[in-house]
Amino acid sequence: MGALIEKAGGRIVTATYGTDEHRRLLRTLKGETMWPPPVWLMRQAGRFLPEFRALREKADFLTRCMTPDIATEITLQPVRRFAMDGAILFSDILVLPWAMGQSLEFVENRGPVLGAIRSEADLNRLDPKRVPEVTAPVMETLSRLRKALREPVGVAAADTVTLIGFAGAPFTVACYMVDGGGSREFAQTRLMAYQEPGLFDQLIALLTETTTDMLSAQIEAGAQAVMLFDSWAGLLPPLEFRRHVIGATRQIVSELKRRHPGVPVIGFPRLAGGMAAEYARETGVDTMALDTSADLAAVAGQVSPDLVLQGNLDPVSVLAGGQAMLKEALAIREAGRGRPHVFNLGHGVLPTTPPEHVGELIAAIRKVN
Ligand code: 1CP
């Protein structure tokens, strides 16, 4: 098969695949090697599309996450346009602490602001038992999405798009919970890990357990794969990295595997650098997502040939577009040839990225040669 079809203003947006070839992302996440590789983009939902900005006027961020009609629509927007191989749930890593009762507000041009956790009393005020009820709308969104993706969605054919659930990994979520918002250094969080290791361990343990349960609920609601975003993993030195990144991730993955054998788990230890190979070996993730700084070919030489790699085009190159983007993108695609690889960015797509650049990128990745 493999005949290219043209839709959406004459651009090549997808390819038709024989029956054994559909669900390319799910099959790759389970370890198969595909050429060309499946493709989706981190943070593809709710960021760069004009049709998202229109919805943004309608409700604040948390309301958008918690309203199944809106969250379903935002998740499907990039699929409708580009037939992405994956649809990532529109939600946020901070929904979990908010669901446990931590105050959270998304402030325009500033980002999230949380009531910082600094003491055992603060920690004890969190209530993990509230999570299933508060996050019920997210699970409803996932079941609607799973149903919607059984039919054609825009230029995507029926039953070809893999639905991805996600959570923040414990260390990264703890960063926002302790520092009380975004930061470059998350100094308060790292100080707590050194000065009050007992308290910090309690926080990580709470997040490990609640994240496992929430991801498990996402799988039960229809997610076909789940991803753990550890965006700030690279801030930790090796000993702390082993404890709070590798240790926590390993616990989550092993429990998910026990409850849902066969459901792929993607880990993203951003800026892990020299610790990435150990993360790959020790956590049990099926796929390791690489950030922009990693050399995909070099990492491929350091990890098991069965480990799926995902990534890792610089999001700024997609903002730039043109030959610069295509050259980088095709070099990364080539570096993944002959092994299971999911083409993606090394971090989230930037909000100001022109949608046409994304269209050109997807077409180039899907071109068979
Ligand atoms: O103003 C708005 O409309 C809110 C912007 C926004 C959006 C669209 C936030 C606030 N979160 C999201 C969605 C989101 N966040 C998704 C949805 C699906 C997708 O398109 O991928 C996902 C997977 C996330 C994950 C997320 N949130 C991460 C991990 C990935 C990464 O980019 O490193 C992190 C660190 C966050 C925290 C967060 N939420 C929102 C913002 C602005 C931030 C970053 C805060 C900071 O550190 O400055």
Side-chain angles (χ1 to χ4, degrees), residues 7-61:
K7 286 187 189 168
R11 264 179 295 136
I12 295 169
V13 289
T14 189
T16 50
Y17 303 109
T19 44
D20 62 328
E21 275 237 311
H22 72 228
R23 298 197 182 153
R24 295 166 54 79
L25 175 57
L26 193 57
R27 291 178 55 188
T28 303
L29 293 171
K30 291 185 177 188
E32 277 186 58
T33 300
M34 300 265 168
W35 190 263
V39 53
W40 67 281
L41 306 184
M42 287 199 278
R43 308 293 300 269
Q44 66 188 25
R47 269 198 141 176
F48 71 107
L49 293 174
E51 55 266 37
F52 163 70
R53 286 193 216 109
L55 271 177
R56 198 184 164 140
E57 314 292 305
K58 281 201 186 167
D60 65 53
F61 178 69

Side-chain angles (χ1 to χ4, degrees), residues 42-47 52 56 61 64 88-94 106 111-112 166 176 182 229 231-232 347:
M42 287 199 278
R43 308 293 300 269
Q44 66 188 25
R47 269 198 141 176
F52 163 70
R56 198 184 164 140
F61 178 69
R64 291 195 294 265
I88 183 153
L89 170 71
F90 179 74
S91 179
D92 194 75
I93 64 166
L94 302 178
F106 287 91
F166 75 92
Y176 290 93
F229 286 89
S231 305
W232 300 106
H347 201 188

Side-chain angles (χ1 to χ4, degrees), residues 28-31 286-288 306-310 339-342:
T28 303
L29 293 171
K30 291 185 177 188
D286 307 276
T287 298
M288 180 163 71
D306 299 332
L307 181 79
V308 185
L309 294 178
Q310 178 173 291
R339 63 161 1 272
H341 174 222
V342 176

Side-chain angles (χ1 to χ4, degrees), residues 298-330:
V299 175
Q302 290 164 5
V303 299
S304 154
D306 299 332
L307 181 79
V308 185
L309 294 178
Q310 178 173 291
N312 66 342
L313 180 65
D314 183 0
V316 178
S317 81
V318 191
L319 183 59
Q323 282 309 311
M325 166 183 81
L326 295 176
K327 188 168 155 259
E328 291 281 325
L330 292 176

Side-chain angles (χ1 to χ4, degrees), residues 78-193:
V79 173
R80 199 173 280 133
R81 269 201 195 223
F82 305 110
M84 299 290 189
D85 288 291
I88 183 153
L89 170 71
F90 179 74
S91 179
D92 194 75
I93 64 166
L94 302 178
V95 161
L96 177 62
W98 173 74
M100 286 195 278
Q102 187 169 14
S103 69
L104 170 63
E105 216 187 320
F106 287 91
V107 181
E108 194 73 37
N109 300 324
R110 183 165 161 212
V113 178
L114 300 90
I117 304 281
R118 295 288 163 78
S119 66
E120 193 156 358
D122 293 340
L123 189 58
N124 289 336
R125 272 193 291 276
L126 299 176
D127 182 3
K129 289 193 296 298
R130 298 177 63 209
V131 177
E133 197 185 320
V134 179
T135 59
V138 175
M139 307 311 157
E140 169 66 21
T141 300
L142 282 164
S143 9
R144 289 190 195 188
L145 283 166
R146 187 65 185 279
K147 203 165 150 223
L149 292 169
R150 293 202 175 101
E151 308 295 326
V153 174
V155 295
D159 209 20
T160 54
V161 181
T162 301
L163 181 57
I164 306 164
F166 75 92
F171 175 68
T172 288
V173 176
C175 280
Y176 290 93
M177 292 176 81
V178 175
D179 267 72
S183 156
R184 270 169 190 234
E185 291 287 334
F186 291 98
Q188 297 300 329
T189 307
R190 289 149 71 207
L191 261 179
M192 185 191 278

